[in-house]
Amino acid sequence: MELKRRSFLKGMGALGGAATLGGGYATIALATRDASAVEKSGSAGVKHFKTSCCQCVNFCGLDVTVKGGVIRNISPDVARAPYYNRGICPKGVSAAFHTYNPYRLKKPLKRTNPVKGRDQDPKWVEVSWDEALDTIAARMKKIRAENPSKLVWQDGQGRYLSNTPLLAAFCAAYGTPNFVHRTTLCIASRNIADLVTWGSFTTLPDLEYTNLLLNFGATYYEGEQWARWLDYQTALARERGMKVVVIDPRLSNNAAKADEWIPIRPGTDSVMILAMAKLLIDSGNIDEESLVAFTNAPELVRPDGNIAKTADGKPLVFDTVSNTTRPFAEGVKPALKGSWPHEGATLKTAFQIFMDSLAGVTPEYAEEVTGIPAATLRRLTDEVAKQARIGSTIVIDGQKLRYRPVAVHTFRGVTAREFGVQGWRTGMLLEMLLGGMDAVGGMALFNPNGAAKTLEPSKAEYPPKRADLAMSAYFPYATQDVGQQVNLTALDPKAYGLPYEPEMQLIYGSNRPFSASDSDKQFLGMAKTFNVVIDVLMTEVAWYADIVLPDDTFLEAWHVSMTRWIPDARQPIAIRQPVVSDVYNIGYDAHRILWELAKRTGFRDGFADELNKKWGLKEVTFKPGRDYSSREAVEIVWSDKTKKDFSTALENAFVGRKLDTKARYLSGVESVFKGPGKPKMKFYADQLVGTFETISGHVKNLGAKNIDLAEFKTGLSPLPIKEHAFPKAHREAKDYPFYLITHKVMHRTQTGITCTNPILNAMGGTDDNSVRINKATADKMRIKTGDMVVIETRVGKVKGKASVVQGIRPDTVSVSYHFGQWSPGLPAQARKGIDINRVLELNADIISGMNSFNDTKCKIYRA
């Protein structure tokens, strides 16, 4: 049957309309069966439920229509629009299929074939819930008695479904430090760059007032964090005249809608930005007043790279009033540039060191590295200088505020790389030069200095305590875990000095090995541990499990929802509530599974106590001596946090508040960093110097292995430098002529919940991916659209269809990374496309542990 666009859109509007997709899917049969049951019970009315989506990290508000006990329509919750999302994506619209999916797991399964492999039949047998839970609990008891660290918890979408405190409390009560999330496969280096620069994380462009947006590879029109706010607000801003410049090797949807697309050579963004910084400094178009007031740019640096300090630890500046070196206090006017003698050494300001480092980074040099014409860089920099209106102010609601309407933004563009932290720090330094941090129209920050410890040297512990090596000498600022490392550590724990061997993994809603670079190696590590997987489908990770436990979907479950902030609003709390109940009569959800395991393993009361701590509950709390249903848990948290009746939660599903102008612009960097005696944003990240010294000591004194000190010194540079544009994969893979990058598509994830959805796969081409090749390159190689080609890297080979396009650099190929599912437990229509992660190199960012998705080089040829 040929599907027409009109019938597809009709089907997206209501799942009942999915009949237009053909009769081969069980959705309608299930819907009819459930409707009949409800109608017989006499409760076949129409109901609306407010809830929150968790299929990605946008956590959009939903309004779900249920008729006769069956989901009929999913729309955006209009009440959530002022606080975050005005629309929802195709995943949200078609989420009913996720619940009614006939391929869902329905019973606990136990592996009977001890050999694990991609082509091995696990020989599953169904077991009762009691047998499954008792088996798991017995193993957990044994491990807990020996060394609880041998148990590793991993989650992905599971944390979005259940929220962090619930899962963290479970691990804390059990006693394992190994509570590992997926952030290094998403945005970790961007977040850690924020943390080591201004002491918290997440920035957004202040789009209500931005006049020029520099977008370095962010693709929120295709799907990423804050997508459902950024897409709408960007459109509004463009209507009033905001200009958008997208810097990306590929003509993404964002680039296609921009005012200007600059196709940069992959990985070289930092050199482009450094060249722009040099032009701004040389022309005097920088906000010196803001640099002195808010940042440590005027602080004096010793020859060893550390900030010079007084005996009591106060940083020194050169006071232009007294012509002496002293701390920044009242009456002191720090010099931003220059060098001075002090106690037998010559001290330079951090800003002077930055200026000196830019000596050779001219537009012509940048053109050679990035492929961007020097004239383009000069023109763009001139426009930035003009639009930034340095020194200007604006009055809003009676408040006189800094006005810098130029914003820098990225997501994976400069962060999914070996030097991802340094890539985003380059972008933030550009914003600091303009004085745009928390300025009207600039870069909005969330809770500056809320995690002040990251502005200090890391302990960089060795030997490591965690299997993912987070916060160790290997990844000293990985405060958000290192998702892809656990299975690599499991292959050889002694290589990293880990004093124990991981024995068991509990994996909740995560397809981690499939989602990481060099994924085959990930599965080798997973084959060494006893694995319990909680999920809704037989994903690739579930295929490697010893026990698989089915879960309810987010439309069947109670949970406290994660939320998103935006510059002018907050959502302190939201809930997820079931709109239908346990469609397949599974009987358990993840919440109940955790309570049962805690009880059977013997730490249920400790779990309740840790829940109170992790949620910060004061008045309404979890009590010892009993279990809690998921609804009871949600009601406890809601009641304590909001002091509102739970009927408000059922009706609205969230609490939101708008920020007044003072809270929006004057309670961030203005109140935290401005002026003498205050902490400073780290223009110069001196804590990285101290951290490198600690790691060097571990290598020399403790024999820490697998640490190349020369590479670590580059990675832990206190300032972004041109070397950060040359990752190992680019330097070493000289015989591989093409840059291989990956990109995201809105309607797919790697968990498995989207690849089985016929609604998402119905448009033609959305159930498969392709190798995007520039037309000039393809013509030389006699490759046409539809031809089968091979991508070969230093890791391996994959084969897929070519897609010849104009919108990509001639030296670059790109493949979307949400396809190529291979689990035999998924239907054939789900197992299409290229599993590109199998051939991507992994050279993780030293600072954050971020997966280097966009650093691989490759060969490409006809199959």
Side-chain angles (χ1 to χ4, degrees):
M1 173 181 175
E2 182 182 0
L3 181 69
K4 303 297 185 183
R5 176 176 173 82
R6 181 176 179 183
S7 63
F8 171 74
L9 292 175
K10 179 181 178 183
M12 295 290 277
L15 188 67
T20 59
L21 303 179
Y25 300 104
T27 308
I28 304 308
L30 286 168
T32 303
R33 182 202 69 187
D34 288 350
S36 298
V38 173
E39 285 164 5
K40 287 179 182 178
S41 69
S43 57
V46 176
K47 297 181 180 179
H48 288 270
F49 293 88
K50 300 290 186 72
T51 190
S52 302
C53 189
C54 72
Q55 294 184 95
C56 78
V57 288
N58 281 289
F59 315 120
C60 293
L62 302 180
D63 187 337
V64 183
T65 303
V66 176
K67 182 178 181 181
V70 179
I71 302 168
R72 298 296 185 180
N73 189 68
I74 301 177
S75 303
D77 177 9
V78 295
R80 204 79 69 102
Y83 305 94
Y84 183 63
N85 67 294
R86 292 181 182 272
I88 55 176
C89 78
K91 295 191 298 293
V93 173
S94 63
F97 183 82
H98 181 33
T99 294
Y100 295 123
N101 190 341
Y103 297 102
R104 279 180 58 183
L105 295 165
K106 304 175 183 71
K107 300 288 185 182
L109 302 174
K110 182 175 72 173
R111 169 186 290 272
T112 60
N113 176 10
V115 181
K116 297 172 184 172
R118 181 167 174 158
D119 300 319
Q120 287 290 326
D121 181 358
K123 298 184 179 179
W124 302 112
V125 295
E126 289 186 4
V127 294
S128 69
W129 275 102
D130 279 335
E131 179 181 346
L133 293 169
D134 283 343
T135 301
I136 298 165
R139 189 172 288 261
M140 289 177 64
K141 274 185 180 180
K142 181 176 181 296
I143 290 173
R144 192 173 187 229
E146 296 172 356
N147 180 356
S149 296
K150 293 181 179 181
L151 175 72
V152 179
W153 173 279
Q154 293 212 58
D155 56 54
Q157 190 208 12
R159 193 173 302 191
Y160 305 142
L161 182 66
S162 298
N163 211 319
T164 303
L166 174 72
L167 311 181
F170 181 85
C171 292
Y174 181 82
T176 179
N178 290 310
F179 176 52
V180 185
H181 190 40
R182 61 172 286 277
T183 315
T184 50
L185 284 80
C186 182
I187 196 176
S189 57
R190 183 183 189 266
N191 289 349
I192 304 306
D194 291 344
L195 281 160
V196 300
T197 302
W198 50 273
S200 189
F201 64 93
T202 68
T203 68
L204 289 173
D206 189 31
L207 291 174
E208 187 177 352
Y209 296 98
T210 305
N211 290 335
L212 175 61
L213 177 63
L214 302 181
N215 177 346
F216 287 88
T219 57
Y220 45 83
Y221 287 137
E222 296 173 354
E224 59 193 29
Q225 291 186 19
W226 280 277
R228 298 291 74 79
W229 177 79
L230 283 163
D231 52 10
Y232 181 79
Q233 292 298 327
T234 300
L236 287 185
R238 293 197 68 203
E239 286 180 5
R240 64 167 176 78
M242 181 183 75
K243 180 176 180 178
V244 179
V245 178
V246 172
I247 302 96
D248 195 319
R250 176 180 67 93
L251 186 65
S252 65
N253 287 347
N254 283 73
K257 295 175 182 293
D259 297 277
E260 183 175 2
W261 170 45
I262 298 177
I264 191 171
R265 182 170 289 124
T268 62
D269 308 72
S270 56
V271 164
M272 174 189 175
I273 298 172
L274 291 174
M276 294 175 68
K278 178 175 173 56
L279 288 171
L280 289 169
I281 293 169
D282 290 349
S283 63
N285 286 303
I286 61 172
D287 190 341
E288 295 195 14
E289 183 179 343
S290 290
L291 286 166
V292 170
F294 297 109
T295 82
N296 72 342
E299 292 178 359
L300 298 174
V301 181
R302 301 193 323 233
D304 64 0
N306 288 294
I307 297 291
K309 298 180 180 179
T310 63
D312 59 354
K314 295 179 180 178
L316 294 175
V317 299
F318 186 80
D319 178 21
T320 59
V321 176
S322 64
N323 288 324
T324 60
T325 55
R326 58 179 57 197
F328 187 10
E330 292 294 340
V332 172
K333 293 186 177 181
L336 182 62
K337 307 170 186 175
S339 61
W340 298 271
H342 177 78
E343 297 181 350
T346 298
L347 308 183
K348 294 183 178 182
T349 67
F351 192 78
Q352 184 66 51
I353 292 174
F354 181 60
M355 289 175 59
D356 294 347
S357 74
L358 299 178
V361 189
T362 63
E364 287 71 27
Y365 171 76
E367 178 176 354
E368 180 183 337
V369 173
T370 68
I372 301 170
T376 299
L377 282 174
R378 287 193 171 91
R379 172 181 56 78
L380 181 60
T381 305
D382 287 344
E383 188 168 3
V384 168
K386 178 182 177 181
Q387 293 288 356
R389 306 190 185 194
I390 294 169
S392 65
T393 59
I394 187 173
V395 176
I396 303 175
D397 295 333
Q399 302 286 343
K400 186 178 180 181
L401 307 165
R402 287 178 294 121
Y403 182 45
R404 305 288 185 275
V406 174
V408 181
H409 182 63
T410 194
F411 189 72
R412 285 167 54 103
V414 300
T415 63
R417 303 186 179 281
E418 180 183 355
F419 297 115
V421 165
Q422 298 287 5
W424 181 226
R425 269 191 42 80
T426 316
M428 285 190 289
L429 260 61
L430 179 61
E431 193 76 42
M432 288 186 200
L433 291 177
L434 303 175
M437 305 291 268
D438 263 350
V440 176
M443 183 185 288
L445 312 185
F446 182 79
N447 191 30
N449 213 32
K453 286 187 177 180
T454 55
L455 300 180
E456 301 172 0
S458 169
K459 293 180 180 179
E461 62 187 16
Y462 187 87
K465 292 184 176 68
R466 293 169 52 112
D468 68 340
L469 311 182
M471 300 300 291
S472 74
Y474 297 96
F475 306 113
Y477 286 92
T479 61
Q480 299 179 337
D481 317 332
V482 188
Q484 76 280 357
Q485 183 59 44
V486 170
N487 289 309
L488 301 181
T489 302
L491 286 172
D492 190 0
K494 292 180 181 179
Y496 302 99
L498 193 72
Y500 59 87
E501 185 169 338
E503 290 184 8
M504 181 177 182
Q505 296 193 62
L506 291 177
I507 303 172
Y508 174 30
S510 174
N511 209 7
R512 181 72 38 73
F514 179 77
S515 306
S517 296
D518 197 359
S519 56
D520 286 348
K521 194 172 183 180
Q522 294 281 325
F523 284 106
L524 289 176
M526 193 177 176
K528 294 189 66 176
T529 55
F530 184 91
N531 308 310
V532 177
V533 172
I534 305 171
D535 216 320
V536 295
L537 292 170
M538 183 58 72
T539 64
E540 285 72 20
V541 167
W543 195 252
Y544 271 70
D546 293 273
I547 292 181
V548 179
L549 302 178
D551 189 19
D552 280 346
T553 68
F554 79 93
L555 292 175
E556 300 169 289
W558 289 98
H559 286 296
V560 179
S561 177
M562 301 177 80
T563 61
R564 286 282 169 219
W565 70 281
I566 56 176
D568 68 335
R570 302 289 187 268
Q571 297 176 74
I573 190 169
I575 72 158
R576 200 168 282 125
Q577 61 180 314
V579 302
V580 291
S581 297
D582 201 6
V583 168
Y584 284 108
N585 299 314
I586 291 169
Y588 282 72
D589 62 2
H591 184 275
R592 184 180 176 189
I593 291 169
L594 295 188
W595 278 102
E596 284 291 333
L597 290 177
K599 179 170 61 178
R600 296 176 193 222
T601 307
F603 61 95
R604 182 180 63 178
D605 288 353
F607 186 25
D609 184 52
E610 287 292 340
L611 280 169
N612 294 330
K613 294 177 184 177
K614 299 301 182 185
W615 277 113
L617 304 177
K618 304 296 184 184
E619 298 176 12
V620 186
T621 60
F622 292 88
K623 309 298 182 185
R626 56 158 297 189
D627 298 338
Y628 287 87
S629 70
S630 55
R631 172 171 174 149
E632 288 173 324
V634 171
E635 190 163 357
I636 286 171
V637 176
W638 174 272
S639 299
D640 190 78
K641 294 294 185 182
T642 68
K643 316 303 180 190
K644 297 177 182 293
D645 190 84
F646 197 58
S647 61
T648 306
L650 300 179
E651 182 178 356
N652 301 319
F654 83 107
V655 171
R657 63 184 175 90
K658 301 291 287 186
L659 302 186
D660 61 22
T661 298
K662 184 176 180 181
R664 180 172 175 176
Y665 295 111
L666 297 177
S667 63
V669 301
E670 291 278 348
S671 63
V672 175
F673 296 122
K674 186 177 183 180
K678 297 284 187 72
K680 299 298 171 196
M681 288 187 285
K682 298 285 189 175
F683 185 93
Y684 181 89
D686 58 291
Q687 73 270 43
L688 301 185
V689 177
T691 298
F692 176 72
E693 292 172 350
T694 298
I695 294 170
S696 297
H698 291 334
V699 172
K700 296 171 185 175
N701 302 324
L702 300 178
K705 301 176 181 179
N706 291 327
I707 293 177
D708 184 324
L709 287 179
E711 288 186 5
F712 271 62
K713 188 170 185 178
T714 299
L716 290 165
S717 167
L719 287 165
I721 52 180
K722 61 186 179 183
E723 284 77 11
H724 295 144
F726 303 98
K728 179 189 294 185
H730 291 186
R731 297 193 313 268
E732 295 181 355
K734 296 179 181 179
D735 296 330
Y736 295 79
F738 296 101
Y739 297 93
L740 173 60
I741 62 174
T742 63
H743 62 272
K744 193 178 183 76
V745 291
M746 184 184 297
H747 63 283
R748 281 275 188 161
T749 67
Q750 291 169 310
T751 62
I753 62 175
T754 52
C755 67
T756 59
N757 189 330
I759 302 171
L760 295 177
N761 293 336
M763 290 183 285
T766 59
D767 59 347
D768 203 344
N769 59 352
S770 61
V771 183
R772 299 191 182 190
I773 312 170
N774 179 272
K775 186 176 186 306
T777 300
D779 287 349
K780 290 179 183 178
M781 302 177 71
R782 298 182 179 179
I783 294 173
K784 297 179 180 179
T785 294
D787 287 350
M788 296 300 293
V789 296
V790 174
I791 294 177
E792 178 183 342
T793 73
R794 298 196 298 177
V795 174
K797 300 177 183 179
V798 290
K799 185 166 62 175
K801 296 177 183 177
S803 180
V804 178
V805 298
Q806 296 282 4
I808 195 167
R809 285 180 56 91
D811 59 0
T812 303
V813 295
S814 183
V815 181
S816 58
Y817 60 90
H818 302 83
F819 296 82
Q821 314 263 169
W822 54 260
S823 170
L826 296 173
Q829 69 263 27
R831 291 181 274 121
K832 294 184 179 181
I834 307 165
D835 179 6
I836 195 62
N837 289 337
R838 295 187 75 183
V839 300
L840 297 181
E841 290 196 34
L842 176 58
N843 298 296
D845 178 84
I846 289 167
I847 300 174
S848 67
M850 180 76 189
N851 194 301
S852 54
F853 285 109
N854 289 325
D855 282 347
T856 303
K857 296 199 73 177
C858 71
K859 298 175 183 177
I860 186 167
Y861 45 87
R862 291 171 61 92

